[in-house]
Amino acid sequence: MAQPSAPTPPILSDGVIALRPPRADDADSITRACQDPQIAQWTTVPVPYTREHAQEWLARLPTPVQWWTNPTWSITVVPDDAWCGSLDLRPDGEGGVEVGYLVAPWARGRGHATRALRLACSWAFSALGAEVVIWYAYAGNLASLQAARNVGFQVPEHVFPAFGAQRGQRRDSWIGTLTPDDLKSAGRAGDARGRYLGPRLTARELDVLRHITRGQSNRAIAADLGISENTVKNHVRSILEKLQAKSRAEAVVIGLRQGLTALPD
């Protein structure tokens, strides 16, 4: 597998997120994120997780020259440079690369995992000469599965018994592979679907979000759409959960940024 002559680790960006080499000052954010029960459930991080664990992980990262043997990035959201996730590639020396990643709870629901995965896989094919990228997750990790499929990973319905290991136990897993052609095909399909890469809102949820954008109350939305006010409340709750928004106003901001809604004329 090819290795560039320049040892400097690259910074990758699609204008929404960026991948940069990890830094010592990422430790606090990593520690905070790894308190999350979902990260404990779906990754191999130590439990309980302490700041010392984050510092030890950062200290074990390869030097810039060694970085190419295990490319590792911190995920950030442009223009902020703060850590909100990690992604690494593990080349096998024979054309294959395994990928692993996690996203902090405060950065979920906005398609960042998909974007980071797409950037890293595209780079692996072009810079490392990879022929295939391999992904796996413990069975049940639907968020990771969705991100992988968004990028184009071919993931069979079959569950591989006891394939993964986690803290001394074997776990059933999903496995997927991605080739350069898979990545291109998924990119074309994504362009056809539009810009939004996060959890999909239903048609009715999109209607409700557009009414929220106009500043309408639940009662007014119910009257306009011919549904009950309680049904509107349920849709609003689902919208907030899917967009990882803490309020109606934040949901509108996220919806505008992702092209899900538009301000009234």
Side-chain angles (χ1 to χ4, degrees), residues 92 113 143 201 213:
D92 63 12
L201 302 186
T213 305

PDB file of all heavy atoms in Angstrom, residues 92 113 143 201 213:
ATOM      1  N   ASP A  92      -3.944  -2.942   6.705  1.00  0.00           N
ATOM      2  CA  ASP A  92      -3.422  -4.292   6.946  1.00  0.00           C
ATOM      3  C   ASP A  92      -2.202  -4.606   6.086  1.00  0.00           C
ATOM      4  O   ASP A  92      -1.659  -5.714   6.150  1.00  0.00           O
ATOM      5  CB  ASP A  92      -4.511  -5.339   6.729  1.00  0.00           C
ATOM      6  CG  ASP A  92      -5.042  -5.390   5.290  1.00  0.00           C
ATOM      7  OD1 ASP A  92      -4.428  -4.775   4.390  1.00  0.00           O
ATOM      8  OD2 ASP A  92      -6.082  -6.043   5.067  1.00  0.00           O
ATOM      9  N   ALA A 113     -20.987  11.881  11.580  1.00  0.00           N
ATOM     10  CA  ALA A 113     -20.313  10.583  11.437  1.00  0.00           C
ATOM     11  C   ALA A 113     -20.228  10.191   9.964  1.00  0.00           C
ATOM     12  O   ALA A 113     -19.188   9.710   9.495  1.00  0.00           O
ATOM     13  CB  ALA A 113     -21.047   9.513  12.235  1.00  0.00           C
ATOM     14  N   ALA A 143     -27.010   3.482  14.868  1.00  0.00           N
ATOM     15  CA  ALA A 143     -26.448   4.755  14.415  1.00  0.00           C
ATOM     16  C   ALA A 143     -25.206   4.529  13.563  1.00  0.00           C
ATOM     17  O   ALA A 143     -25.025   5.151  12.514  1.00  0.00           O
ATOM     18  CB  ALA A 143     -26.122   5.641  15.613  1.00  0.00           C
ATOM     19  N   LEU A 201     -36.356  12.699   8.633  1.00  0.00           N
ATOM     20  CA  LEU A 201     -37.662  13.059   9.136  1.00  0.00           C
ATOM     21  C   LEU A 201     -38.718  12.508   8.177  1.00  0.00           C
ATOM     22  O   LEU A 201     -38.511  12.449   6.970  1.00  0.00           O
ATOM     23  CB  LEU A 201     -37.813  14.580   9.229  1.00  0.00           C
ATOM     24  CG  LEU A 201     -36.807  15.338  10.107  1.00  0.00           C
ATOM     25  CD1 LEU A 201     -37.213  16.806  10.195  1.00  0.00           C
ATOM     26  CD2 LEU A 201     -36.685  14.726  11.483  1.00  0.00           C
ATOM     27  N   THR A 213     -41.072  26.710  11.708  1.00  0.00           N
ATOM     28  CA  THR A 213     -40.207  27.755  11.162  1.00  0.00           C
ATOM     29  C   THR A 213     -40.978  29.055  10.963  1.00  0.00           C
ATOM     30  O   THR A 213     -40.420  30.145  11.070  1.00  0.00           O
ATOM     31  CB  THR A 213     -39.587  27.292   9.828  1.00  0.00           C
ATOM     32  OG1 THR A 213     -38.904  26.053  10.037  1.00  0.00           O
ATOM     33  CG2 THR A 213     -38.590  28.318   9.294  1.00  0.00           C
TER      34      THR A 213
END
